[in-house]
Amino acid sequence: YRTYVDDPNRWFNDSVSLKDARRFEEARKGFQKVIEKENPTSALAADSLYFLSICYYVEGNHPAAIESFKKVVKRYPNGNRTAEAYYHIGLSYLQMKETARGIQELKRMTERYPNSQWTIYAKDRLRELHAMDEKKSLSDLKEATSEKERLHLYMGKAISLFNEDRIEKAKPMFMEISQQHPDFEGAPQALACLALIYYKQKSYTKTIRCYQQLIDRYPKNKLVPESYYHIGLSHGFLGNQDKAQDAYRKGAEFAETQFGKLSAEKLRE
C-alpha cells in the first residue's frame, strides 16, 4: 500500500486546497515544493508557479504578485497561463495605484495575445479606465452595443471580482451568465467559477450540480476534467465515497491533462 506522500501531484492538490482555504503562506510553500521537485518544463510546475502568484495577488501583496507573475511569463512565454499572468500584472499595478504602468501592461498584453480570452478582459479594464486611443475606443464602444460584447464586458467584471476574492458580488453575475446565456462562449467558465465559489463556501451539493451542468452542456470543453475532479472531492466531503471514486475514474480518462492526473492520483490513495 502506497500513500504517495512524496508525490508532486499530492503536494499540488493539497496546496490548491490550502489556497482555497485562504491559508496562503502554507499554500505557497507547497507550490514552491512542487516547483523545486518537478521538471521545470512540466505543466505541473507551470501551474504551481501560477497559483503561487495568485496567492500573493489575492492576499493583496501586489509587489510580490508582480514579481512572481513575471516569472511565469519569462519561464513559460507560450504557456496556457501566460496571457492570464500578464493580465494580473496589469491589475496588480492598478491595485497599487500605478495606473499608467497598469495601462501599459494591459495594452502590451492585448498586442501579444490578440486571440486570448484574457485579452477581452484586459480591453474591458482599459475601457473602464478610458485608456484606449480615441479611434479604438469609439469603435469598441459601438461594438459593445451587441449582446456578445456586453456579455464579454460583464464576464470580465465578474472574473475581476472573483480574482479579488469578492465572491459574493461575483456569484450572481456568473449565475446570470450561465443560466440566461448558455450559448455564450464564456458560459462554461462562468459555470466553473460559480462551482468553485460554492466549493470554497463548502456548499458541496451545489458544487456538484454546477459542475455536472457544465459536463452535460459542454462535454467537449477543456474544463470537463477539472469538473470531474471537483465532483469527486465534493462527494468525498459529503461521505459519498462510491460516487467520488466514479467521478475520479471519469476524470482520469483525460490522462494528458493536469486534473486527469490528479484524479488518477486520487484513485491510487
Side-chain angles (χ1 to χ4, degrees), residues 215 224-232 244-265 267:
I215 293 167
V224 168
E226 178 180 345
S227 300
Y228 279 124
Y229 176 71
H230 280 94
I231 287 174
Q245 291 294 300
D246 183 59
Y248 292 139
R249 278 191 290 270
K250 291 176 180 177
E253 293 177 6
F254 300 86
E256 298 304 313
T257 69
Q258 185 58 51
F259 283 97
K261 293 174 183 176
L262 288 172
S263 290
E265 193 269 337
L267 290 171

Side-chain angles (χ1 to χ4, degrees), residues 124-216:
D124 291 340
R125 304 287 77 72
L126 289 168
R127 284 195 199 99
E128 291 171 1
L129 294 162
H130 306 289
M132 305 296 280
D133 60 86
E134 185 177 358
K135 181 178 179 181
K136 184 70 173 177
S137 179
L138 288 172
S139 174
D140 283 351
L141 287 172
K142 288 178 181 178
E143 292 173 6
T145 59
S146 70
E147 181 181 35
K148 181 178 179 180
E149 197 66 19
R150 287 197 299 271
L151 281 171
H152 277 301
L153 181 64
Y154 196 55
M155 181 70 175
K157 290 181 178 179
I159 289 287
S160 291
L161 290 168
F162 180 82
N163 287 337
E164 293 167 8
D165 213 32
R166 297 163 65 187
I167 57 177
E168 284 302 329
K169 288 185 177 293
K171 186 196 293 185
M173 300 172 75
F174 288 131
M175 193 176 298
E176 181 180 351
I177 291 168
S178 61
Q179 292 180 356
Q180 298 185 22
H181 305 279
D183 296 328
F184 169 53
E185 61 187 289
Q189 187 176 10
L191 259 178
C193 289
L194 182 60
L196 276 176
I197 288 172
Y198 286 132
Y199 183 79
K200 289 182 177 184
Q201 295 175 332
K202 300 183 179 181
S203 297
Y204 299 120
T205 300
K206 291 182 179 179
T207 300
I208 293 167
R209 186 184 306 134
C210 286
Y211 275 127
Q212 191 60 53
Q213 281 184 342
L214 193 159
I215 293 167
D216 293 342

Side-chain angles (χ1 to χ4, degrees), residues 6-139:
D6 292 326
D7 185 80
N9 286 290
R10 167 68 68 83
W11 302 338
F12 178 84
N13 176 33
D14 290 344
S15 298
V16 169
S17 296
L18 288 168
K19 174 186 70 70
D20 290 342
R22 299 185 64 82
R23 294 163 63 182
F24 297 120
E25 184 175 355
E26 295 171 80
R28 284 195 298 272
K29 289 179 180 178
F31 289 130
Q32 185 61 43
K33 189 176 180 181
V34 176
I35 293 166
E36 293 171 356
K37 181 73 173 180
E38 275 288 284
N39 185 321
T41 62
S42 72
L44 191 62
D47 282 348
S48 293
L49 182 55
Y50 167 78
F51 281 118
L52 188 154
S53 308
I54 284 291
C55 285
Y56 282 126
Y57 179 83
V58 177
E59 200 172 22
N61 189 344
H62 297 297
I66 290 169
E67 182 180 351
S68 190
F69 280 124
K70 285 183 176 179
K71 290 180 182 178
V72 176
V73 171
K74 183 177 181 179
R75 294 182 190 178
Y76 311 102
N78 300 312
N80 292 331
R81 296 193 181 274
T82 306
E84 191 172 352
Y86 264 117
Y87 176 75
H88 282 91
I89 290 171
L91 290 189
S92 295
Y93 278 118
L94 293 177
Q95 292 290 339
M96 293 166 61
K97 308 301 181 185
E98 295 186 28
T99 305
R101 185 65 184 275
I103 289 171
Q104 181 185 41
E105 294 294 339
L106 290 176
K107 282 188 173 182
R108 181 180 295 140
M109 180 249 177
T110 64
E111 293 167 359
R112 292 186 180 182
Y113 303 94
N115 299 318
S116 170
Q117 183 76 20
W118 292 95
T119 290
I120 296 173
Y121 303 148
K123 288 182 177 179
D124 291 340
R125 304 287 77 72
L126 289 168
R127 284 195 199 99
E128 291 171 1
L129 294 162
H130 306 289
M132 305 296 280
D133 60 86
E134 185 177 358
K135 181 178 179 181
K136 184 70 173 177
S137 179
L138 288 172
S139 174

